[in-house]
Amino acid sequence: MEYDIVIGLEVHAELKTESKVFCSCKNQFGAEPNTNCCPVCIGLPGALPVLNKKAVELVIKAGLTIDSQINNIAVFERKNYFYPDLSKAYQISQLVKPICVGGHLDLQNKSVKINRIHLEEDAGKLTHQSENIGTLIDYNRGGVPLMELVTEPNINSADEAVEFLTKLRERLIFADIAECKMEQGGMRCDVNISIKPKGSNILGNRTEMKNLNSFKSVHRAIEYEVKRQIEAKEQGKEIIQETRKWDDEAGISYTMRKKETSQDYRYFPDPDLLAIEISDEEVEAIRKTLPLLPEQLKEKYVNEYKLTEYDANIITKDKYLISYFEEVCAHYNNPKTVANWILTEILSKIKDEDEPIIKISPLKLAEILSLIENGKITRTIAKEIFTKVWENDSDVDKLAKELGGEINEDYLCNLIDKIITSNPKAVADYRTSDTPEKQLKWFVGQIMKETKGKANAKLAEEKILEILNKTQG
Ligand code: ADP
Ligand code: MG
Ligand code: ZN
């Protein structure tokens, strides 16, 4: 039998705020365990939550990047369950009235429908140590603002799921909503999977795999689970709704617990928090802060800046490259040249680095490019200056004087005189030729050869013309 694969994703991302969502503790990864905590975020009885406005704004922003509708009233609810990483024994979340409803994210071949995005708090982090030590708890992460985005079950392959996550991540990073550092757990994904006979309208029972934290494991976990479900079906077994645990090392998943439903959590509105009121004006104000998305930027770079599709693609792949590119262009208005330098000189220096740092400020690169354009230095010298600035953050002007000074005008004119006198035939050719530009280029070529590329070609051409015209007659 042939089957359709049906996938729905629940994506969690930690929001980029200074402080936590219901207290003023720092939202910071990697601090000494249990140092960013207070009675609110460790859940002491009687401590009262106060909502962080920025977290709400970021969820609205996230909703706007996927065309969600923003609710004018959103409500926090308590999701009750006990686990040691959640000392209050309930998580403040949203069920009935989330901040964002609906929306879509378009992939290459389909538009994935979004069900909702809501705001909730993250739990602490457990680390299981050796038997003697037991399990350690770090509550620093408890109370960190999390957005949860839930898709409709209309993703139909592992590839589509990864494409979706990649695009979503790109947008969240772009709009400064979340950093989505996968290795730090900044973005995690639950994957719901079912199969049904091809073309059928009735969805099969789903299984859910929780907290996958790399796109690679999402892909593998889906492939594995689809295969498992098909094999079970073929053997006449029913798929039961359950939560499964993916073991990335072993490449298998196994039953963790029977699937709980929302009833199991005894949700009810949190009496400590007022409903959030969101006016249309507030939403519009936030919309104004949305940057262009990577796809929109790519279009702009190709159409307005005349970059090639290829170049535009590379630059818009990373946020830091875009902002670098934009900043250089702000000081030196020739995007094509800027893109060229980024793609060749800069990328070759940082391509193998995990956390690439561009060690030349946008202003300094712009200075170098302007010097070339104004004929003050040649490309060859520019590259030398570039390398020196990269290594020592040196002063561009000073270097230009030091290195560019070698080929000053007098030296250049002397050299031209020399070449003209020792090549009478070329001079004659120039005077009689139908295409004197070609002969002229030959002279420029000679100068470049003599100076090992350090002369300024534009200036050289001007001077050659001047001298040739002077010596005419
Ligand atoms: P829960 O909290 O129980 O996980 P949610 O409504 O938050 O429920 O999320 C359910 C997720 O499962 C959604 O992403 C939805 O698209 C997906 N889903 C629902 N039914 C199916 C199904 N039959 N097959 C695959 N995915 C499904
Ligand atoms: Mg779920
Ligand atoms: Zn706190």
Side-chain angles (χ1 to χ4, degrees), residues 166 212 374 441 466:
T166 309
L212 297 165
N374 299 335
K441 287 276 178 284
E466 216 179 282

Side-chain angles (χ1 to χ4, degrees), residues 6 8-10 150-153 192-194 203-204 206 208 259:
V6 178
L9 300 175
E10 294 160 79
V150 182
T151 76
E152 295 294 345
N192 298 270
I193 304 172
S194 66
L203 292 182
R206 68 177 149 125
E208 175 170 3
K259 173 78 188 153

Side-chain angles (χ1 to χ4, degrees), residues 147-160:
M147 58 165 258
E148 176 172 345
L149 176 150
V150 182
T151 76
E152 295 294 345
N154 76 329
I155 295 170
N156 300 103
S157 69
D159 284 347
E160 270 180 22

Side-chain angles (χ1 to χ4, degrees), residues 40 70 91 166 203 296 347 390 397 400 441 444 451:
V40 175
I70 312 300
Q91 177 193 32
T166 309
L203 292 182
Q296 295 167 319
L347 282 186
W390 189 281
D397 260 338
K441 287 276 178 284
V444 176
T451 58

Side-chain angles (χ1 to χ4, degrees), residues 20 23-25 36-42 142:
K20 294 187 180 182
C23 62
S24 54
C25 292
N36 290 332
C37 300
C38 74
V40 175
C41 59
I42 57 175

Side-chain angles (χ1 to χ4, degrees), residues 37-49 78 87-90 139 272:
C37 300
C38 74
V40 175
C41 59
I42 57 175
L44 295 188
L48 290 173
R78 291 186 181 181
S87 49
K88 296 202 294 294
Y90 62 84
Y139 284 119
D272 289 340

Side-chain angles (χ1 to χ4, degrees), residues 251-381:
I252 57 167
S253 66
Y254 49 87
T255 302
M256 197 155 83
R257 56 173 185 259
K258 292 285 159 280
K259 173 78 188 153
E260 65 289 334
T261 66
S262 63
Q263 268 81 21
D264 296 325
Y265 291 114
R266 295 294 186 267
Y267 276 95
F268 66 91
D270 192 313
D272 289 340
L273 286 157
L274 292 170
I276 318 169
E277 287 179 35
I278 304 166
S279 71
D280 294 344
E281 290 73 36
E282 279 168 304
V283 174
E284 287 321 303
I286 293 171
R287 198 190 298 280
K288 291 217 176 73
T289 68
L290 273 181
L292 287 181
L293 295 172
E295 301 103 281
Q296 295 167 319
L297 273 178
K298 200 162 34 183
E299 236 182 83
K300 174 175 153 188
Y301 291 173
V302 172
N303 296 337
E304 279 176 42
Y305 291 1
K306 307 293 176 214
L307 302 195
T308 62
E309 192 95 17
Y310 178 85
D311 292 2
N313 248 330
I314 295 184
I315 289 181
T316 54
K317 258 224 289 282
D318 283 293
K319 191 178 167 179
Y320 76 92
L321 272 189
I322 293 174
S323 52
Y324 188 83
F325 173 70
E326 297 265 343
E327 263 188 73
V328 182
C329 288
H331 297 295
Y332 174 74
N333 190 14
N334 184 340
K336 263 182 99 82
T337 308
V338 176
N340 264 334
W341 276 71
I342 290 181
L343 260 73
T344 52
E345 304 308 317
I346 291 186
L347 282 186
S348 69
K349 280 205 157 38
I350 57 175
K351 66 177 186 297
D352 297 326
E353 288 172 24
D354 288 338
E355 297 240 339
I357 300 172
I358 301 179
K359 288 195 266 180
I360 176 166
S361 71
L363 184 61
K364 285 193 176 175
L365 179 58
E367 271 174 32
I368 295 178
L369 299 183
S370 307
L371 286 173
I372 305 178
E373 186 174 299
N374 299 335
K376 294 270 168 28
I377 55 172
T378 66
R379 268 188 71 86
T380 317
I381 288 176

